[in-house]
Amino acid sequence: MLKRILYIGLIVIFINCKGEQKITLNATDTFKSNGVEIPVYDFESFKPLLTINDGKTRVINFWATWCKPCVAELPYFELINSRYSDDEVEVILVSLDLPKQVESKLIPFVKKQKIESKVILLDDPDANTWIPKVNKNWSGSIPATIICKGGTVNFYERSFTYNELEKELKKIL
Amino acid sequence: MKTLKILVGVAFIIAISAFAIDKVSNSKTEVGYSIGDIATDFKLKNIDNTDISLADYKDAKGFIVIFTCNHCPYSVAYEDRIIALDKKFKTKGYPVIAINPNNPQAYPDDSFDNMIIRAKDKGFTFPYLFDDGQKIYPQYGATKTPHVYVLEKTDKGNIVRYIGAIDNNYKDTSSVTKKYVEDAIHALLKGEKVPLEITKAIGCSIKA
């Protein structure tokens, strides 16, 4: 039985290990079923994630269950997530699945593939407004990845192998 | 000493040529049309097994070329709106020409046979062409489905006037506040400049 719970103003708190800075992201909604929770953000509520300055490196991957090259490279992001400490690197998998397919496709996928990284849903249909705010050169095709730390934001509209991904990560660590 | 000089010289040449190669490969990734470019015509197989070219449309004033496919949820979300665009603008001289750019080996849902089935189920009113061998979409620079190119027919050829999304809400037609493609064609029909020439949207990557 799938259950969808609406938490208006659910607060996800990102606190770095030293507690230097607190950033709160307010999810607009949360999908919850089968023991998997997927918070939902529009771009306004998602945006602070790109500029958090807490010393941690974030690997933010835009993907969807229907995107084959995205699914193919997910294991590499999972590997980064498991190999680097949570204090050092946070991997966030930003799903662009349709909201109506979260319970039928995304949650079963996350469950079946035993995804350990944080999975969130970006649900903002006015893509022409927010895509250029992620990166002005992004055409909107996925997979796309951001590796950021402090004010440094590196953007990649491409697929990765593990070695390529780790190489880019090490540039910014 | 002389040998050293030659070695340094050779190393310098290698370094320069490596840089040059890098430059060439960089520019190669940026192919595709910009606004104002002349779009290539093509001869692609339609779902009724006839070959279709833009040149076949003698009376057209232009075209709404849409790279789309069966498997992509974003394309599926727009199917009814693509049919509506065709119905609305075909009679005004701007028919929809849909092209499936995907490699069916990567996406079996996008095979020619499945295109025929999908078009019949949805009652497509426009040609649904198969980019066999994936030769046309890279020339246009399409990266995802759906990806729209509005072309204006002129004496010089079919000029690219708009590139991007159909409107500003893939999810919900009733929440759309900007109809990019319609606005572009209305402007062209009036002989005016397209108000917003390039828009961005999430779509399903064509490269698999």
Side-chain angles (χ1 to χ4, degrees):
Chain A
M1 183 68 188
L2 297 174
K3 200 175 164 197
R4 184 179 166 190
I5 298 172
L6 180 73
Y7 292 113
I8 301 240
L10 175 91
I11 296 176
V12 178
I13 303 171
F14 292 85
I15 308 172
N16 89 340
C17 54
K18 293 170 202 151
E20 285 165 351
Q21 192 189 12
K22 250 187 203 179
I23 296 282
T24 57
L25 289 191
N26 299 310
T28 55
D29 198 349
T30 299
F31 285 95
K32 200 175 179 184
S33 84
N34 242 335
V36 177
E37 269 189 44
I38 310 275
V40 183
Y41 299 88
D42 58 14
F43 189 72
E44 272 309 301
S45 58
F46 167 81
K47 202 170 56 178
L49 192 62
L50 303 176
T51 50
I52 298 176
N53 192 0
D54 59 0
K56 205 190 272 191
T57 301
R58 284 187 176 74
V59 179
I60 302 170
N61 173 244
F62 296 89
W63 71 292
T65 57
W66 44 258
C67 165
K68 269 200 175 180
C70 305
V71 170
E73 67 175 8
L74 278 188
Y76 311 136
F77 289 84
E78 282 284 276
L79 206 51
I80 293 284
N81 185 56
S82 65
R83 283 191 177 171
Y84 289 83
S85 81
D86 291 350
D87 296 339
E88 194 178 17
V89 176
E90 183 178 27
V91 175
I92 301 166
L93 304 176
V94 182
S95 162
L96 293 163
D97 280 272
L98 308 193
K100 66 178 179 191
Q101 293 185 338
V102 168
E103 287 173 342
S104 61
K105 297 258 171 72
L106 180 60
I107 288 180
F109 180 90
V110 169
K111 185 100 179 159
K112 193 177 170 210
Q113 302 297 327
K114 300 186 175 73
I115 304 283
E116 298 277 333
S117 307
K118 186 185 192 64
V119 178
I120 65 175
L121 186 81
L122 179 57
D123 174 24
D124 198 326
D126 189 7
N128 187 50
T129 303
W130 65 260
I131 285 173
K133 291 180 186 167
V134 173
N135 186 278
K136 65 177 169 45
N137 296 320
W138 186 15
S139 79
S141 100
I142 54 174
T145 298
I146 285 171
I147 304 178
C148 62
K149 182 185 186 181
T152 311
V153 180
N154 293 334
F155 176 80
Y156 308 88
E157 183 172 352
R158 54 168 285 193
S159 297
F160 280 109
T161 63
Y162 181 78
N163 287 339
E164 289 164 351
L165 183 60
E166 192 175 43
K167 191 177 151 202
E168 293 304 317
L169 173 64
K170 281 181 171 166
K171 278 184 188 170
I172 202 169
L173 264 181
Chain B
M1 194 62 191
K2 200 177 176 189
T3 324
L4 184 68
K5 265 186 189 168
I6 291 167
L7 274 179
V8 168
V10 168
F12 182 70
I13 288 164
I14 289 171
I16 290 280
S17 53
F19 179 71
I21 287 163
D22 191 41
K23 275 285 175 201
V24 169
S25 60
N26 266 348
S27 64
K28 255 192 175 173
T29 59
E30 287 166 16
V31 291
Y33 294 137
S34 307
I35 299 300
D37 285 353
I38 306 274
T40 184
D41 200 350
F42 40 73
K43 193 174 178 183
L44 296 174
K45 192 163 70 163
N46 190 16
I47 40 173
D48 64 0
N49 272 309
T50 59
D51 286 334
I52 300 262
S53 294
L54 298 178
D56 300 337
Y57 292 75
K58 304 286 179 214
D59 299 328
K61 293 175 183 164
F63 302 92
I64 309 170
V65 175
I66 305 180
F67 292 91
T68 187
C69 68
N70 292 352
H71 91 272
C72 175
Y74 282 82
S75 290
V76 172
Y78 271 111
E79 281 172 337
D80 290 340
R81 278 173 270 184
I82 294 173
I83 295 169
L85 274 176
D86 184 58
K87 285 182 174 166
K88 185 167 182 179
F89 291 108
K90 186 155 51 183
T91 51
K92 295 187 167 109
Y94 278 83
V96 165
I97 311 287
I99 302 174
N100 166 21
N102 286 332
N103 178 355
Q105 277 169 344
Y107 295 101
D109 281 356
D110 295 334
S111 72
F112 188 68
D113 288 344
N114 283 326
M115 287 169 64
I116 297 171
I117 293 167
R118 188 66 193 165
K120 201 177 166 202
D121 286 353
K122 286 300 295 182
F124 284 0
T125 54
F126 45 83
Y128 188 20
L129 312 178
F130 182 49
D131 188 4
D132 198 5
Q134 300 189 288
K135 294 192 176 72
I136 298 303
Y137 91 81
Q139 294 185 58
Y140 277 71
T143 56
K144 60 194 181 291
T145 55
H147 203 155
V148 184
Y149 292 76
V150 174
L151 313 180
E152 183 188 21
K153 195 197 264 187
T154 70
D155 295 341
K156 291 178 211 152
N158 294 304
I159 298 179
V160 178
R161 293 298 188 199
Y162 171 80
I163 303 173
I166 291 169
D167 57 41
N168 71 343
N169 195 316
Y170 77 88
K171 215 167 56 169
D172 178 15
T173 314
S174 63
S175 301
V176 168
T177 54
K178 284 181 191 135
K179 297 182 173 180
Y180 306 127
V181 170
E182 289 203 20
D183 292 349
I185 297 168
H186 282 308
L188 291 171
L189 288 172
K190 283 190 269 182
E192 292 170 1
K193 191 176 179 318
V194 171
L196 191 56
E197 296 172 313
I198 295 176
T199 60
K200 295 191 172 182
I202 294 296
C204 301
S205 180
I206 295 171
K207 271 190 204 165

